[in-house]
Amino acid sequence: MIDRIFAGTLLLITLAYGFIAFTLIKAPFQYDPIGPEGWPQILAIVAVICLIMLMIRPDVDSLDTSRPTWIKLACASAMLFAYAELYEPLGFIIATALFATLMARLLGAAWGRSAAFGITIGVAGYLVCAGLMGLNLPAGPLPKI
Amino acid sequence: MQEVFASLGTGFGVALAPFNIMLVLIGCFAGTLIGALPGIGPINGVAILLPIAYGLGLPPESALILLAGIYYGAEYGGRISSILLNVPGDAGAVMTTLDGNPMAKRGEAGRALSLSAIASFVGGTFAVILMSMFGPALARFAVTFSPSDYVALMVFAFASLASLVGKNPWKTLMGALIGLMLATMGIDGNTGVPRFTFGVPDLLAGIDFLIVVIGLFGMAELFHLVEQQVTGKLQTLPVDSSFVRMADLARTKWTILRASIIGFFIGILPGTGASVASAVAYGAEKRAAGADTSEFGKGDVRGLAAPEAANNAAASGAMVPMLTLGIPGSGTTAILLGALMLFNVQPGPLLFTQHPEIAWGLIASMYVGNVALLIINLPLVGLFARMLTIPQHYLTPLIAILAFIGVYSIVGNPFDLFLIILLGMFGWLLRKMEFPLAPVILGFVLGGLFEDNLRRALSISAGDWGILVESWKSLALYGLAVLAVVLPATLSYLNKRRARDRAPT
């Protein structure tokens, strides 16, 4: 069932894609026989056929993911978004230390060990990547190397 | 032949520069480590480390040498977790568990590891030798390909992909189409018309290759690891002091040779990589053993040597179409091909003549790398084995941290950090739906080339589609494409029928 829903969603996206390819994309004058719209049109048609086949014969019934796992995945996603959000304002060291600590804790490490891991990886990661390899990483409020 | 040696000389000039030797060693070491860690395979390793390698500002040949080292190093390292944990480090190492793990359980872990290291070395080196001999010839032939022949070649590549990768060919095809459709976003190079940009200026240049790769193969892997997460330490078997014996090598020398040949040629086929090669080699070896198969699956040295030689030969074999035709033979080589494009190097048959330092430097570095891997792997295997005991809850956050460092240091824009997380979720969902991910990246990398050649061919013929089936080369490739689809389907049908006939009714 979930398979059909997924294929159906993809089908809607493909139809929108095909609609754009068939109506909106046009070159001011034709440079080559199929122009900029021909290739997306071909792709849209093949994709529609493909998705219809997938809807006729689905083979995955359910995602088979338990409730606690969903919660864990949601937490992990939230942490990743927070990490991305705080990357520049807090700087690499603090943001990474926080993220690594919480993520390790979420995945089952003890608080103490998680914090030690997080702080080590934040500081060492910055020293190696920004200091040694000269990569551009946000320093945040801390002094830049 | 003379020419090959002269070019190899140039290549070794590049590969033996002290800086590049250092990169080979770093790549091989990091690769072995990545391969050994359960769950993270070559494709994830190369994807996660690609932006960092790019951000370092290395010259293209050095960056490619480093990334390729990570790639075949990871194929090497995959066997360690197969043997000691009974958990394959990547898909190519699945067959290695069958006989490798029973040997380790018998207290012969050292013997299994050293024998498989030698088998891997022979497979890898054999494939590089074949590559240096046949590669340039194939490239010379491919120079004569017209745009319409290239269209046929792509059709063949996607056809063999659809029939050989994944369980459901429609899903593989759909995966490739998703990649192809993503590649159409941005300004059309021929006419300057924006396509699917929705007026967003960031999308005018299309979606960045790095973002797609790191999203689908880095972040998606992270979600997968979170989902599959096992608490507590995995139990590794100890590495003992047993070592490969001369008798083992004498017993497996033909096995290794056969498996290397099988691996190399399967690796060349577009879309098929180490996992298919090792499975075929294992099956072939079992048949070749005749009546004497009772030990297979219980720790037979031949059953260990065959898949290991084959998967390393296939890893190098997959580089052949990438270097000579510009068509990658596997998901990982598609990423390497994309890496070349990032450096503004156009891959294809002209690579050997236009950028000999890249093509030959890479090939020469693979000779060096295989020797380095053998040397690294024999004495240091204990060290890698200890790495296996690092709990997953420290490794998983590390993937995100490395991905963020890579993306941020190149793009310097936090918006892209959100993009990779979203792509990661999408990749995870695709994987849950049993869509293989390698075709997506193959489609994304080849999309532009496919469209360009089709349009060029039709421009030549002024819009007559007949040009696509005019030359014998195109026709031969379409024939192969049909064969690639029909043959596996027929074989599985026959197998099923035979199994049914045998079953009592």
Side-chain angles (χ1 to χ4, degrees):
Chain A
M1 195 56 217
I2 190 84
D3 218 7
R4 286 207 168 110
I5 298 173
F6 187 68
T9 316
L10 284 180
L11 187 63
L12 286 181
I13 297 171
T14 306
L15 287 175
Y17 179 94
F19 175 76
I20 295 175
F22 275 96
T23 56
L24 298 181
I25 301 176
K26 274 200 179 61
F29 53 87
Q30 209 67 355
Y31 296 80
D32 59 303
I34 64 171
E37 71 279 5
W39 175 246
Q41 287 170 358
I42 297 172
L43 292 182
I45 294 168
V46 181
V48 167
I49 297 172
C50 209
L51 287 166
I52 289 174
M53 287 306 292
L54 284 176
M55 289 177 85
I56 295 173
R57 267 194 270 164
D59 54 5
V60 177
D61 283 337
S62 70
L63 279 182
D64 200 22
T65 306
S66 66
R67 204 182 171 82
T69 310
W70 276 118
I71 295 171
K72 210 156 62 174
L73 283 169
C75 288
S77 317
M79 277 181 210
L80 282 168
F81 281 119
Y83 185 31
E85 188 65 45
L86 297 174
Y87 208 58
E88 271 186 336
L90 289 187
F92 178 81
I93 298 182
I94 300 175
T96 304
L98 282 176
F99 169 77
T101 305
L102 293 174
M103 192 77 176
R105 177 75 192 102
L106 172 77
L107 297 178
W111 271 115
R113 281 163 170 268
S114 305
F117 165 73
I119 293 166
T120 314
I121 216 77
V123 175
Y126 192 71
L127 290 179
V128 171
C129 294
L132 206 64
M133 303 202 284
L135 295 172
N136 161 38
L137 290 177
L142 298 174
K144 222 174 159 60
I145 336 183
Chain B
M1 228 6 62
Q2 205 69 46
E3 202 185 327
V4 168
F5 284 119
S7 313
L8 260 183
T10 324
F12 275 109
V14 175
L16 292 178
F19 182 64
N20 288 340
I21 289 199
M22 188 187 80
L23 289 178
V24 170
L25 292 178
I26 293 176
C28 289
F29 188 84
T32 310
L33 190 57
I34 288 168
L37 295 170
I40 310 177
I43 194 159
N44 313 107
V46 174
I48 295 166
L49 295 175
L50 165 67
I52 295 181
Y54 183 64
L56 287 174
L58 303 172
E61 66 275 14
S62 300
L64 207 65
I65 284 173
L66 175 65
L67 290 170
I70 295 171
Y71 166 42
Y72 55 77
E75 296 286 357
Y76 238 86
R79 69 186 216 291
I80 299 177
S81 53
S82 295
I83 292 171
L84 295 179
L85 286 178
N86 203 19
V87 177
D90 65 85
V94 173
M95 305 310 283
T96 310
T97 57
L98 295 182
D99 284 283
N101 190 249
M103 280 180 80
K105 281 200 183 121
R106 257 195 336 234
E108 294 177 334
R111 183 173 164 216
L113 286 166
S114 46
L115 172 66
S116 58
I118 291 169
S120 299
F121 168 75
V122 175
T125 305
F126 184 81
V128 184
I129 293 173
L130 285 183
M131 175 153 110
S132 3
M133 289 192 317
F134 295 127
L138 190 58
R140 258 199 306 280
F141 178 59
V143 173
T144 66
F145 276 26
S146 66
S148 51
D149 295 334
Y150 256 95
V151 173
L153 188 60
M154 307 267 184
V155 171
F156 168 57
F158 283 110
S160 54
L161 194 69
S163 66
L164 291 167
V165 182
K167 278 183 283 181
N168 185 339
W170 291 105
K171 287 192 168 168
T172 311
L173 184 59
M174 194 56 222
L177 283 165
I178 291 174
L180 289 168
M181 281 156 75
L182 282 176
T184 57
M185 290 173 87
I187 289 198
D188 170 38
N190 290 7
T191 56
V193 174
R195 296 191 293 192
F196 308 106
T197 56
F198 310 105
V200 181
D202 282 334
L203 287 177
L204 285 179
I207 297 185
D208 203 324
F209 169 73
L210 285 171
I211 305 286
V212 175
V213 165
I214 209 144
L216 288 184
F217 293 99
M219 302 307 283
E221 187 66 22
L222 181 144
F223 286 117
H224 181 71
L225 287 176
V226 169
E227 191 196 354
Q228 302 290 317
Q229 204 234 347
V230 272
T231 37
K233 278 186 181 178
L234 291 162
Q235 212 54 51
T236 58
L237 296 161
V239 181
D240 45 67
S241 58
S242 66
F243 200 71
V244 61
R245 298 173 210 139
M246 276 326 276
D248 294 334
L249 291 179
R251 187 144 176 245
T252 53
K253 61 177 190 279
W254 297 116
T255 303
I256 293 177
L257 190 68
R258 269 195 299 267
S260 302
I261 296 174
I262 293 174
F264 178 74
F265 286 100
I266 290 184
I268 287 183
L269 283 180
T272 53
S275 40
V276 180
S278 55
V280 172
Y282 189 87
E285 209 42 55
K286 214 170 167 179
R287 267 194 300 280
D292 175 30
T293 56
S294 55
E295 281 297 299
F296 274 88
K298 293 183 198 136
D300 192 297
V301 284
R302 291 166 298 174
L304 171 65
E308 268 311 305
N311 73 23
N312 286 279
S316 305
M319 303 265 250
V320 172
M322 176 202 115
L323 284 174
T324 57
L325 307 173
I327 311 277
S330 65
T332 318
T333 48
I335 297 181
L336 293 177
L337 188 87
L340 271 179
M341 292 178 179
L342 283 180
F343 286 102
N344 278 322
V345 177
Q346 186 55 52
L350 293 175
L351 191 70
F352 279 91
T353 43
Q354 283 176 346
H355 296 283
E357 78 285 358
I358 296 178
W360 287 106
L362 178 62
I363 293 177
S365 82
M366 290 170 73
Y367 284 97
V368 180
N370 271 306
V371 176
L373 280 169
L374 185 64
I375 297 171
I376 290 175
N377 267 279
L378 288 180
L380 291 184
V381 73
L383 176 74
F384 290 117
R386 218 161 312 142
M387 298 283 186
L388 294 183
T389 59
I390 297 178
Q392 292 255 313
H393 45 250
Y394 298 137
L395 291 173
T396 312
L398 213 53
I399 295 177
I401 294 166
L402 287 172
F404 273 40
I405 291 175
V407 169
Y408 187 85
S409 64
I410 292 171
V411 198
N413 178 357
F415 172 74
D416 290 310
L417 298 178
F418 289 102
L419 210 54
I420 58 167
I421 301 172
L422 291 173
L423 272 167
M425 291 172 161
F426 180 63
W428 174 80
L429 198 60
L430 280 179
R431 207 170 144 170
K432 284 295 277 187
M433 295 293 181
E434 294 176 7
F435 281 83
L437 285 180
V440 181
I441 203 66
L442 218 60
F444 188 73
V445 169
L446 290 181
L449 203 61
F450 202 160
E451 179 180 8
D452 280 348
N453 279 299
L454 180 65
R455 285 166 74 174
R456 222 173 287 154
L458 289 174
S459 296
I460 293 172
S461 72
D464 177 10
W465 290 77
I467 189 166
L468 294 179
V469 287
E470 236 161 46
S471 85
W472 65 268
K473 285 176 214 152
S474 313
L475 288 174
L477 284 165
Y478 287 125
L480 284 173
V482 172
L483 210 64
V485 173
V486 173
L487 205 60
T490 323
L491 285 180
S492 77
Y493 173 74
L494 287 180
N495 269 343
K496 244 181 248 162
R497 209 174 61 174
R498 203 177 309 150
R500 205 177 45 220
D501 287 349
R502 218 176 287 151
T505 41

